[in-house]
Amino acid sequence: MGGIDNDHSSSGISSENAKEGTTTKDPKLEFSEDEEDLIARMFRLVGERWSLIAGRIPGRTAEEIEKYWTSKYSSSND
């Protein structure tokens, strides 16, 4: 019976992992509405100069902003 308990508890862990996996997006790619607005405005001004845009948003890296932008706009273009 101990094995059944282990299976049950591991399925709880699996459901937590599945819950995280359902978003399929990096938690760091969650941006506030203000950040999204600023990224869009900066993108119109400077294009794909991610480091320049990141310099205007404290705590964000150029890589995070580029991933956010491509994930948001590549999926809507398909």
Side-chain angles (χ1 to χ4, degrees):
M1 283 189 210
I4 293 170
D5 290 339
N6 288 339
D7 290 343
H8 184 265
S9 65
S10 70
S11 76
I13 292 170
S14 296
S15 66
E16 286 179 24
N17 290 340
K19 184 178 180 182
E20 290 176 13
T22 54
T23 60
T24 65
K25 290 187 178 179
D26 205 348
K28 288 186 173 187
L29 295 181
E30 293 179 17
F31 286 74
S32 71
E33 202 172 309
D34 288 340
E35 288 175 318
E36 290 179 2
D37 183 51
L38 182 57
I39 292 168
R41 287 188 287 133
M42 288 294 296
F43 184 82
R44 285 193 297 269
L45 289 171
V46 300
E48 295 183 1
R49 296 176 68 190
W50 307 119
S51 60
L52 206 79
I53 297 170
R56 300 286 184 221
I57 304 175
R60 297 293 186 174
T61 66
E63 184 178 283
E64 287 173 339
I65 292 172
E66 183 179 6
K67 283 183 182 180
Y68 161 78
W69 187 264
T70 56
S71 70
K72 181 169 181 164
Y73 291 100
S74 68
S75 62
S76 62
N77 291 337
D78 289 341

